[in-house]
Amino acid sequence: MSEYTDVQWFPGHMTKTKRQMQKALPLTHMVAEILDARIPYSSRNPDLASILGGKPRIVLLNKSDAADPAVTARWIKWFEGKNIPALAVECNKGKGVNQVLPLCREVLKDRIAAWEKKGMGKQPIRVMVVGIPNVGKSSLINRLSRGAKAKVADKPGVTRGNQWFSFGKGGELLDTPGVLWPKFDDPMVGEHLAFTGAVKDQVVDTEHLACRLIGLLSKEYPDRLKERYGLENLDEEPYELLGLIGRKRGMLISGGEVDTERASIAVLDEFRGGKLGRISLETPEKMEG
């Protein structure tokens, strides 16, 4: 199981999304980039820096309740070392989202001071929310805007597909569709995105993907794997471990063989749902190593 899962997925609408982002960017004051706290490196769009230029940015590490808290703390420190303020959030539960507007104000404090000198202190902070598919943009916006419907904006240059929402006192969010990039140059990136569900399962070999995940977890979080699936040891190859998991779960087909496809889906779904515990697949040290 040494080979990465080959993942390449770039639907045509994502090219359109990039154009929409570039056109709407001048209407905003800053950008909130949402990443998956379990895979902050792989869930970053490398094209984003060139799209945003020098626009101020914050990073929100979403799904932090499913990530290893010690690793998330190191990622926050890593981003701050790059002069990018970062915050751990859990958008579905609302954890940490009340800190987003204060952090935005802190990033824009010099600009806000300049507005106040000109008598424009009540001007709303306009924040573009960006991120790959399935990373939690909608959940964040629903939490911050308290479920408010999208504003019908009369601002010039707002293209169809971009929506404005009010949040807090003096904040406006610009939603953009999730966007991946044309090619995953690093096969690890595509695989990690597939592990977390950012890439549709229909475009990958589910059994191979589940075996790759089992192999990774057996090295990084062996106790979690043993505890969840009642495995005594992890000496077997990942495919054999997948078979053991399926057999223990009673996932059998005619003849008593294990339904490995069904077992694969269970392993992936349970990892994505946080049922294996708080797990981070990437650390700053490994990504820079």
Side-chain angles (χ1 to χ4, degrees):
M1 295 306 300
S2 60
E3 294 183 1
Y4 283 102
T5 304
D6 183 33
V7 180
Q8 296 298 336
W9 185 53
F10 188 58
H13 76 273
M14 292 189 176
T15 301
K16 179 182 177 182
T17 299
K18 289 175 67 174
R19 290 198 298 266
Q20 290 177 343
M21 288 171 61
Q22 290 169 325
K23 191 171 183 179
L25 196 62
L27 306 173
T28 64
H29 302 123
M30 63 179 296
V31 172
E33 180 183 11
I34 306 182
L35 304 180
D36 187 323
R38 298 166 296 178
I39 53 167
Y41 175 82
S42 293
S43 57
R44 294 190 79 193
N45 187 334
D47 290 348
L48 201 59
S50 61
I51 294 172
L52 301 181
K55 187 73 70 171
R57 180 176 14 160
I58 63 171
V59 160
L60 303 177
L61 294 166
N62 189 31
K63 306 186 181 181
S64 59
D65 277 8
D68 187 324
V71 176
T72 298
R74 299 208 300 273
W75 274 111
I76 290 174
K77 187 175 180 180
W78 184 86
F79 280 111
E80 290 175 346
K82 306 289 184 183
N83 294 317
I84 303 175
L87 182 66
V89 297
E90 176 51 64
C91 296
N92 283 331
K93 299 177 182 177
K95 182 180 177 181
V97 297
N98 61 339
Q99 300 176 50
V100 173
L101 183 56
L103 183 60
C104 290
R105 290 188 178 280
E106 176 62 25
V107 170
L108 294 175
K109 61 183 180 181
D110 292 341
R111 190 163 188 174
I112 292 172
W115 290 342
E116 290 174 346
K117 283 185 179 180
K118 297 178 180 178
M120 300 166 57
K122 293 185 178 181
Q123 180 167 323
I125 294 173
R126 293 176 184 154
V127 184
M128 178 184 285
V129 182
V130 301
I132 64 171
N134 199 35
V135 79
K137 293 194 315 307
S138 296
S139 297
L140 174 72
I141 290 171
N142 288 337
R143 281 284 177 180
L144 288 176
S145 64
R146 300 185 185 279
K149 293 182 179 180
K151 294 178 62 178
V152 179
D154 58 356
K155 301 177 181 67
V158 179
T159 57
R160 188 173 300 174
N162 292 331
Q163 297 180 303
W164 288 93
F165 298 81
S166 296
F167 75 105
K169 293 184 178 180
E172 291 185 356
L173 297 170
L174 176 61
D175 185 23
T176 58
V179 58
L180 286 171
W181 47 104
K183 182 181 179 182
F184 305 135
D185 293 322
D186 185 342
M188 181 206 71
V189 169
E191 189 170 81
H192 284 189
L193 289 168
F195 285 155
T196 59
V199 175
K200 294 179 180 178
D201 287 340
Q202 291 91 325
V203 302
V204 298
D205 183 327
T206 305
E207 288 186 27
H208 187 74
L209 186 66
C211 287
R212 289 287 301 172
L213 179 60
I214 289 170
L216 185 120
L217 295 179
S218 66
K219 295 177 182 178
E220 302 294 338
Y221 294 91
D223 292 341
R224 305 280 177 82
L225 203 58
K226 288 179 183 179
E227 181 181 353
R228 180 67 187 175
Y229 298 111
L231 302 173
E232 294 181 4
N233 61 69
L234 303 175
D235 297 335
E236 304 288 345
E237 289 295 314
Y239 188 78
E240 298 301 323
L241 293 175
L242 179 65
L244 287 173
I245 291 170
R247 190 166 295 280
K248 283 179 174 291
R249 291 286 182 89
M251 297 175 175
L252 306 178
I253 54 179
S254 58
E257 292 185 18
V258 176
D259 187 342
T260 51
E261 182 176 357
R262 186 179 167 198
S264 300
I265 293 171
V267 169
L268 292 170
D269 284 349
E270 290 174 17
F271 166 72
R272 293 166 185 169
K275 293 180 180 178
L276 277 75
R278 302 182 69 172
I279 292 172
S280 293
L281 300 181
E282 299 172 353
T283 65
E285 299 81 8
K286 286 185 179 179
M287 295 304 101
E288 287 198 324

